[in-house]
Amino acid sequence: MYKLSQIAEEYQKKLVTPAQAAAVVKSGDRVSYGLGCSAPYDTDKALADHINNDGLKGIEIVNATIVKNEDYFTFTETESNDQVRFMSGHFNAFDRKMNKAGRCWFMPLLFNELPKYWEDIDVAILQVHEMDKWGNFNLGPQVADLRGVLRASKKVIVEVNKNMPKALGYETELNIADVDYIVEGSNHPMPIIPNKPATPVDEKIADFVVPMIENGSTLQLGIGGLPAAIGHKLAESDIQDLSGHTEMLVDPYVELYEAGKITGNKNRDKGKIIYTFAGGTQRLYDFIDDNQIVFNAPVNYVNNINVVASIDKFVSINSCINLDLYGQVCAESAGYRHISGTGGALDFAQGAYLSRGGKGFICVHSTRTLKDGTKESLIRPTLTPGSVVTTPRSAVHYIVTEYGVALLKGKSTWQRAEALINIAAPEFREELIKEAEKMGIWTNTSKTSY
Ligand SMILES: CC(=O)SCCNC(=O)CCNC(=O)[C@H](O)C(C)(C)COP(=O)(O)OP(=O)(O)OC[C@H]1O[C@@H](n2cnc3c(N)ncnc32)[C@H](O)[C@@H]1OP(=O)(O)O
Ligand SMILES: CCCC(=O)O
């Protein structure tokens, strides 16, 4: 740590141009761009130039899930994996694009463990909020795994962005003494994830879930149209006294807060909406900025199963790609096509079930329409080859489709098959029964129940 009187001078000593910062990276280095909104903009551009102009080879850029509106310059302005390749702990659309180009690999993870995974990072380059008079940069609304990244990094470069909201919370500060170089960036606008409108099927699913949420519940809502539909219906309902404890903070929490639904009256971290990273519209970033109600905390706390379990009436709502009659849930691939990561899906499924009065919902449309117009059931007899089990059957509590709710915990294999067939699209039920019979998880008596 520096004396307070040294801080201004140290800031000037460490202040460099993006090109000078990028020049720190050498061939063979492992570089972290962090998670959420932390990926640099100007230094990324300068790094692409450095790689091209100085013939750098064998760079690896790692991240978990990045919230960004434009591609990395290090991806679009370089040509080969010999120069730079990428690794992601969560395949979002951004990573999928790089993967399709053969340049991005996936690192399977349980999100609550992620800070512990990081090792041997040569340079961390993170976009941060401006430094305060005490010499602390605020990391922005994504402390998630950043303490792990910082622990493992030999050199730390911060790119200051005045638009980065100041996220209050725990371990959200980075002192100038722990920073090697400072770049004053061009203050690129925050990345915007537009609100996805809810489909009629999302609305029907929300109509099943909302009545199962009691007054006094604490919510974990993920990204997408479905959680938005649930948030919207809750905001308009007569349900009261809700709280937030979520991995990703998304716009529906702002709507719920503005509707007076969030009192924070829970039995842990009272009064605070706890989250580990955020992504949404400017309305969300404005809500986060310097707001004492909204509390950013490391993912090893937020997603810790015991922490989640200790919060009474915890309700987790996530979605998936498809599932089988055993109740195995795939949220990561469509056959061999890699789509996403485990993220916090399993952390919250387990934590929510263990919470007193807790509920874990996995929501899915019953069918999907293929390009040729035919429909396929997303409840399948067995998962297709290549499908990755994100939530094992033993950890699944409720599955919800537009046809209803299936409770799987405490049910036998044939009861599960029956409950799942009851919420499959009607036109697929007979076929699913036949398959369940072949699989030995259907009895003659089962069919009489719907
Ligand atoms: C950030 C949070 O949500 S925190 C919650 C905890 N974390 C998790 O649950 C992680 C795992 N889950 C997830 O990543 C998501 O819930 C998903 C990907 C399963 C679904 O999210 P959505 O926002 O509904 O997905 P979205 O509609 O954007 O589809 C993503 C891609 O999957 C494809 N896809 C989605 N469902 C299917 C399906 N049933 N079959 C085939 N492909 C599918 C889409 O076509 C799209 O591909 P594209 O970008 O190439 O067009
Ligand atoms: C990095 C994890 C994001 C998710 O759970 O979806």
Side-chain angles (χ1 to χ4, degrees):
M1 293 290 268
Y2 301 123
K3 289 182 192 165
L4 263 191
S5 57
Q6 284 177 289
I7 287 172
E9 192 188 332
E10 287 301 322
Y11 188 97
Q12 290 308 319
K13 276 196 218 158
K14 293 184 180 189
L15 189 61
V16 293
T17 63
Q20 287 168 324
V24 170
V25 178
K26 303 181 302 304
S27 284
D29 274 0
R30 190 174 210 221
V31 177
S32 173
Y33 279 0
L35 181 146
C37 307
S38 71
Y41 183 81
D42 299 271
T43 317
D44 176 55
K45 169 86 180 81
L47 181 55
D49 293 343
H50 176 42
I51 291 167
N52 285 324
N53 299 340
D54 301 317
L56 263 61
K57 298 259 184 237
I59 311 280
E60 183 185 38
I61 296 182
V62 300
N63 65 252
T65 192
I66 288 293
V67 181
K68 215 170 177 314
N69 286 135
E70 46 307 279
D71 295 327
Y72 293 147
F73 295 105
T74 40
F75 168 56
T76 54
E77 295 191 7
T78 65
E79 279 170 6
S80 77
N81 290 337
D82 288 346
Q83 292 175 292
V84 53
R85 60 186 190 278
F86 302 85
M87 188 186 80
S88 166
H90 190 77
F91 260 37
N92 56 21
F94 182 68
D95 303 309
R96 285 199 292 279
K97 186 171 176 187
M98 294 196 285
N99 177 255
K100 205 170 169 189
R103 304 203 50 189
C104 183
W105 282 264
F106 176 62
M107 175 180 71
L109 57 81
L110 287 175
F111 199 16
N112 81 81
E113 297 177 348
L114 184 59
K116 209 171 161 181
Y117 294 176
W118 295 122
E119 54 187 40
D120 297 329
I121 295 171
D122 297 288
V123 189
I125 312 179
L126 306 174
Q127 216 180 175
V128 297
H129 179 87
E130 291 166 284
M131 189 180 80
D132 64 17
K133 63 182 178 187
W134 309 108
N136 292 316
F137 295 92
N138 182 273
L139 289 168
Q142 56 259 331
V143 67
D145 65 328
L146 291 187
R147 303 313 310 190
V149 169
L150 292 166
R151 168 192 43 73
S153 296
K154 296 185 188 93
K155 289 260 183 294
V156 176
I157 297 168
V158 294
E159 180 176 311
V160 177
N161 184 341
K162 290 184 181 170
N163 293 315
M164 180 73 79
K166 181 175 182 185
L168 303 184
Y170 180 63
E171 295 191 333
T172 52
E173 75 290 349
L174 174 61
N175 191 269
I176 185 170
D178 299 318
V179 170
D180 296 286
Y181 299 100
I182 302 161
V183 171
E184 288 180 349
S186 56
N187 303 315
H188 200 62
M190 287 298 284
I192 301 301
I193 304 179
N195 285 315
K196 213 168 162 181
T199 65
V201 175
D202 291 336
E203 299 277 354
K204 282 187 189 162
I205 293 175
D207 284 336
F208 283 113
V209 174
V210 169
M212 292 179 73
I213 299 176
E214 298 169 52
N215 290 342
S217 296
T218 294
L219 302 178
Q220 178 260 319
L221 296 174
I223 195 170
L226 182 64
I230 291 171
H232 188 65
K233 282 192 194 287
L234 279 172
E236 289 184 337
S237 73
D238 56 6
I239 298 169
Q240 299 297 335
D241 211 11
L242 297 172
S243 297
H245 180 110
T246 187
E247 166 184 313
M248 183 172 183
L249 191 69
V250 287
D251 280 67
Y253 285 93
V254 189
E255 188 180 354
L256 284 167
Y257 187 82
E258 288 178 357
K261 296 291 174 187
I262 304 227
T263 56
N265 188 20
K266 54 188 159 162
N267 61 321
R268 183 174 192 135
D269 300 322
K270 243 185 213 320
K272 307 281 185 196
I273 300 173
I274 304 288
Y275 72 103
T276 205
F277 78 102
T281 65
Q282 190 58 44
R283 180 187 183 201
L284 177 75
Y285 301 125
D286 292 343
F287 178 62
I288 291 169
D289 189 41
D290 215 4
N291 184 348
Q292 299 202 35
I293 300 294
V294 195
F295 195 92
N296 195 201
V299 70
N300 45 308
Y301 177 77
V302 178
N303 283 33
N304 181 302
I305 295 167
N306 296 317
V307 170
V308 174
S310 73
I311 302 170
D312 295 346
K313 293 192 191 171
F314 196 99
V315 175
S316 158
I317 301 168
N318 288 312
S319 56
C320 71
I321 289 173
N322 51 43
L323 69 146
D324 69 14
L325 290 180
Y326 296 119
Q328 305 188 96
V329 172
C330 165
E332 290 173 56
S333 58
Y336 293 108
R337 184 175 172 235
H338 189 162
I339 292 179
S340 184
T342 305
L346 184 55
D347 301 336
F348 281 101
Q350 290 183 276
Y353 182 69
L354 291 173
S355 138
R356 191 166 20 194
K359 293 175 184 152
F361 295 100
I362 296 177
C363 303
V364 64
H365 292 196
S366 69
T367 61
R368 158 178 112 105
T369 306
L370 304 177
K371 276 189 191 138
D372 64 6
T374 57
K375 273 190 180 173
E376 67 172 13
S377 176
L378 296 182
I379 299 181
R380 296 152 189 268
T382 55
L383 294 179
T384 51
S387 303
V388 173
V389 176
T390 305
T391 311
R393 61 181 176 173
S394 48
V396 178
H397 193 188
Y398 293 107
I399 300 286
V400 191
T401 72
E402 69 275 26
Y403 292 102
V405 181
L407 166 65
L408 301 194
K409 285 276 186 187
K411 303 291 177 189
S412 68
T413 49
W414 73 259
Q415 286 174 317
R416 286 162 171 255
E418 179 187 44
L420 290 170
I421 292 169
N422 281 345
I423 61 162
E427 66 268 35
F428 289 101
R429 290 182 190 171
E430 283 303 325
E431 192 185 317
L432 287 167
I433 289 169
K434 281 192 198 128
E435 292 300 319
E437 275 166 351
K438 283 189 219 156
M439 291 158 66
I441 52 170
W442 186 261
T443 69
N444 289 335
T445 54
S446 309
K447 199 180 165 187
T448 58
S449 67
Y450 73 85

